[in-house]
């Protein structure tokens, strides 16, 4: 089945180091400790791509040699928003890249019959509407919780939302991009499809269980 979506709002981070690390994560023999480390590293690499368009401004800096004009990020405020539970695994890598970022937590589920999003836990910075929100979750499967989280952030007045996942199913990408006309999606891989249990194929299994060793 071919799934069509707006490619212009999708970035696939296909750097060789990223692909190499992702393959180790997929391996069923990789244990929780290494898996957690790799989630953190890939989050940092992906955050690097997702912040590529941040504007810069000139500042004066004095080096040991002379005073010069150099660049700094121009007043961009960022919030990292992990979708509970597996998104927590990506927070440390993102904070290593953007130490001044605030972290908000979003726990969402979508009612399977009504398809209405329900929040069971949401705590975000008070000035969330002033921040670029980097929503993180390792797996984008059906897109249900990501769509609900993005809807919640829009309801709080957030203008710039970017979704960062490590592996995405085409169905999930389409669901997220169709539901929100402005969100951008970043992924390290677009996998084949979802199976009958809504697991990504080939995927890497349950990311939350592999991060937290709950299986
Ligand atoms: N969530 C996961 O952790 N893995 C999948 O394959 C799909 C959703």
């Amino acid at each position: 089945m071919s799934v069509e979506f707006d490619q212009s709002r999708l970035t696939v981070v296909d750097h060789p180091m990223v692909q190499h690390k992702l393959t180790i994560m997929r391996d069923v023999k990789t244990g929780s400790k290494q898996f957690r480390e790799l989630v953190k590293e890939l989050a940092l690499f992906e955050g690097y791509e997702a912040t590529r368009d941040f504007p810069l401004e000139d500042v004066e800096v004095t080096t040991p040699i002379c005073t010069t004009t150099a660049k700094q990020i121009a007043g961009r405020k960022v919030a990292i928003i992990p979708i509970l539970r597996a998104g927590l695994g990506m927070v440390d890598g993102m904070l290593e890249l953007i130490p001044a970022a605030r972290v908000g937590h979003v726990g969402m589920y979508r009612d399977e019959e009504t398809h209405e999003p329900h929040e069971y836990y949401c705590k975000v910075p008070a000035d969330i509407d002033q921040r670029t929100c980097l929503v993180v979750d390792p797996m984008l499967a059906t897109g249900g919780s990501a769509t609900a989280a993005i809807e919640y952030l829009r309801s709080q007045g957030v203008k710039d939302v970017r979704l960062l996942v490590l592996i995405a199913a085409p169905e999930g990408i389409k669901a997220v991009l169709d539901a929100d006309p402005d969100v951008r999606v970043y992924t390290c891989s677009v996998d084949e499809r979802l199976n009958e249990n809504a697991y990504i194929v080939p995927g890497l299994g349950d990311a939350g269980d592999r991060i937290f060793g709950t299986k």
Side-chain angles (χ1 to χ4, degrees):
M1 178 187 55
S2 111
V3 177
E4 304 211 341
F5 45 77
D6 178 0
Q7 295 279 352
S8 71
R9 288 190 286 135
L10 175 72
T11 300
V12 181
V13 184
D14 56 1
H15 190 285
M17 294 310 301
V18 167
Q19 296 306 312
H20 180 85
K21 287 170 188 287
L22 191 59
T23 300
I24 300 171
M25 286 181 65
R26 290 186 191 274
D27 190 335
V28 69
K29 295 192 294 302
T30 299
S32 279
K33 178 176 183 290
Q34 191 180 12
F35 190 89
R36 262 198 305 277
E37 288 165 359
L38 289 164
V39 171
K40 178 179 165 185
E41 286 172 32
L42 287 184
L44 194 154
F45 289 142
E46 201 166 47
Y48 179 81
E49 279 303 323
T51 53
R52 186 177 276 285
D53 65 337
F54 277 18
L56 293 169
E57 63 188 5
D58 287 340
V59 284
E60 202 171 84
V61 63
T62 304
T63 75
I65 310 300
C66 67
T67 295
T68 185
T69 302
K71 304 287 182 193
Q72 71 176 17
I73 303 273
R76 179 74 67 129
K77 294 205 281 185
V78 173
I80 299 159
I81 312 286
I83 299 178
L84 302 177
R85 150 183 84 135
L88 293 173
M90 293 176 70
V91 172
D92 285 352
M94 296 294 295
L95 280 175
E96 228 160 77
L97 182 71
I98 316 169
R102 300 291 165 87
V103 180
H105 295 87
V106 176
M108 312 284 308
Y109 73 94
R110 190 171 282 268
D111 186 296
E112 284 180 10
E113 278 172 18
T114 66
H115 300 293
E116 285 300 309
H118 294 279
E119 45 185 269
Y120 65 87
Y121 184 81
C122 286
K123 181 89 180 173
V124 296
D127 61 350
I128 192 76
D129 58 332
Q130 305 300 313
R131 291 179 180 269
T132 291
C133 287
L134 305 178
V135 178
V136 294
D137 196 355
M139 308 298 277
L140 176 56
T142 63
S145 48
T147 300
I150 294 162
E151 276 171 20
Y152 168 75
L153 293 171
R154 294 293 189 207
S155 77
Q156 301 301 300
V158 178
K159 289 173 263 323
D160 187 356
V161 183
R162 306 168 188 209
L163 174 67
L164 282 66
V165 303
L166 303 185
I167 296 181
E171 298 91 328
I173 298 171
K174 178 173 170 50
V176 167
L177 294 179
D178 285 356
D180 187 291
D182 295 313
V183 70
R184 290 197 55 94
V185 177
Y186 297 82
T187 185
C188 301
S189 173
V190 179
D191 274 14
E192 279 167 32
R193 60 184 170 87
L194 294 177
N195 70 12
E196 56 287 1
N197 298 316
Y199 275 89
I200 299 175
V201 180
L204 48 69
D206 188 303
D209 281 345
R210 295 195 65 184
I211 291 167
F212 296 110
T214 43
K215 202 151 184 242

